[in-house]
Amino acid sequence: MRKSALIIVGSLSIAVGCGSGGNDTTVTDSDIVAQYRDSVLLLPDIIKQLPSGISEADSAALIKKITDRWIEGLLIEDLAAGQIDDMDRIDALTDMYRRSLIADSYRRKMRQNGVQPVDMNKVRNYYKTHLDELKLERPIVKGLYIRLPSSSRHLDDIRIWMKNADPSSYDELENTGRREATGFSYFADRWIDFDIIAGEIPYKFGDADKFIEETKDFETELNGTIYILHLTDYRKTGETIPEEYAVPLIEDRMSAQNLAEYEAGLIKALRKSAIENNILKEGTYFREQR
């Protein structure tokens, strides 16, 4: 027999104001906001979704909205279940998606806790021993970039500071330039993919390697906005990757390898244990493939 939907709206604002009662996990009738068949929507679960600092009136309105959406979803699901022919396939996909979410969540946890940090000495040794193989696939640069209105009263000063690119100019750019700018990026102390900076500027650079080799200062204007780029250093496609740029890439690669090896070992151990405990039974095909 179908249970009717039960919605408890009394004293919602009071419940929100008082909270969920510490660590007490006992569910009482006053915790139930709505019930549909065997599904129950609890007030403490809704309260967790509410933004902090919200007023009691807004809390009550948001609780009602969340509740209505929950009920509507179940009503439509119930109605559709009796009219859709491939519910078995949908149930199977749902179950598969759930397992995938659980597995992916655990993999993220393994990345944080289950895998040992990469040994940076190994990273640097890898760089030294594979130096001839580590070549840039795209140009990288160091420098600074700024975007500002063409009406800026400090435009001429900013042009000078950008070209000088000395410590005092950096200070001026930080103090005055940032106030005038609608976009500012300082990368004189680190390598960055030229494509990232080029993507910020409305200009067709063509041959990127040729551009960075021949250009130190660049400026263009579009629709009342000035774009200024100053390059302090560059490496072209095919050159050896600088160590400071390569180290994070190698570290990421080793981290991924460590994670893959850890996960493979874990799955192998779990599989072996499941077989030994008769939880997993493999068919003839899999036994023959070992």
Side-chain angles (χ1 to χ4, degrees), residues 6-10 12 29-34:
L6 169 64
I7 306 176
I8 298 177
V9 294
L12 283 182
D29 286 344
S30 62
D31 288 327
I32 301 175
V33 179

Side-chain angles (χ1 to χ4, degrees), residues 24-224:
D24 185 7
T25 57
T26 303
V27 177
T28 63
D29 286 344
S30 62
D31 288 327
I32 301 175
V33 179
Q35 180 175 332
Y36 186 86
R37 295 185 183 273
D38 295 329
S39 298
V40 177
L41 180 64
L42 300 178
L43 181 59
D45 292 335
I46 299 180
I47 292 175
K48 294 175 183 177
Q49 303 178 47
L50 301 181
S52 59
I54 190 170
S55 68
E56 290 188 3
D58 289 339
S59 296
L62 188 52
I63 287 172
K64 184 178 184 305
K65 183 176 180 180
I66 293 172
T67 303
D68 288 343
R69 188 167 61 237
W70 183 85
I71 294 172
E72 289 166 7
L74 288 173
L75 288 170
I76 295 298
E77 180 184 340
D78 219 7
L79 175 65
Q83 301 182 31
I84 295 177
D85 297 329
D86 57 349
M87 281 303 298
D88 289 342
R89 182 183 67 86
I90 291 175
D91 288 340
L93 289 174
T94 302
D95 192 42
M96 185 185 304
Y97 180 62
R98 176 179 177 275
R99 291 197 300 268
S100 176
L101 282 177
I102 292 173
D104 288 344
S105 295
Y106 187 72
R107 286 188 176 97
R108 284 195 294 272
K109 184 177 181 180
M110 283 196 298
R111 290 188 187 99
Q112 297 173 354
N113 305 319
V115 183
Q116 293 298 318
V118 174
D119 185 338
M120 295 309 296
N121 288 327
K122 290 183 178 179
V123 172
R124 293 186 173 86
N125 286 336
Y126 182 94
Y127 177 80
K128 293 175 183 177
T129 55
H130 294 79
L131 199 57
D132 294 338
E133 306 167 22
L134 297 171
K135 305 297 182 182
L136 287 168
E137 297 180 358
R138 294 185 302 275
I140 57 176
V141 293
K142 288 184 178 182
L144 51 160
Y145 154 75
I146 195 167
R147 180 183 71 232
L148 69 161
S150 57
S151 59
S152 170
R153 59 192 180 93
H154 292 290
L155 180 57
D156 289 338
D157 290 329
I158 290 173
R159 283 176 173 141
I160 294 173
W161 296 331
M162 289 288 288
K163 287 183 178 181
N164 288 344
D166 53 30
S168 61
S169 296
Y170 292 155
D171 291 340
E172 294 292 351
L173 287 168
E174 283 288 341
N175 297 328
T176 304
R178 279 190 184 275
R179 289 200 303 270
E180 298 287 318
T182 56
F184 182 75
S185 180
Y186 174 86
F187 50 100
D189 55 353
R190 60 188 173 89
W191 292 105
I192 189 171
D193 190 324
F194 178 71
D195 287 348
I196 294 177
I197 293 299
E200 295 283 333
I201 303 172
Y203 181 83
K204 293 183 179 179
F205 287 94
D207 187 332
D209 288 309
K210 183 178 180 181
F211 175 84
I212 63 172
E213 184 178 30
E214 298 177 351
T215 308
K216 185 174 183 180
D217 293 288
F218 173 81
E219 179 178 323
T220 189
E221 180 178 0
L222 180 66
N223 298 330

Side-chain angles (χ1 to χ4, degrees), residues 271 282-290:
R271 189 167 188 154
E282 295 181 333
T284 304
Y285 174 82
F286 284 101
R287 290 197 298 268
E288 290 177 349
Q289 298 305 308
R290 290 180 180 172

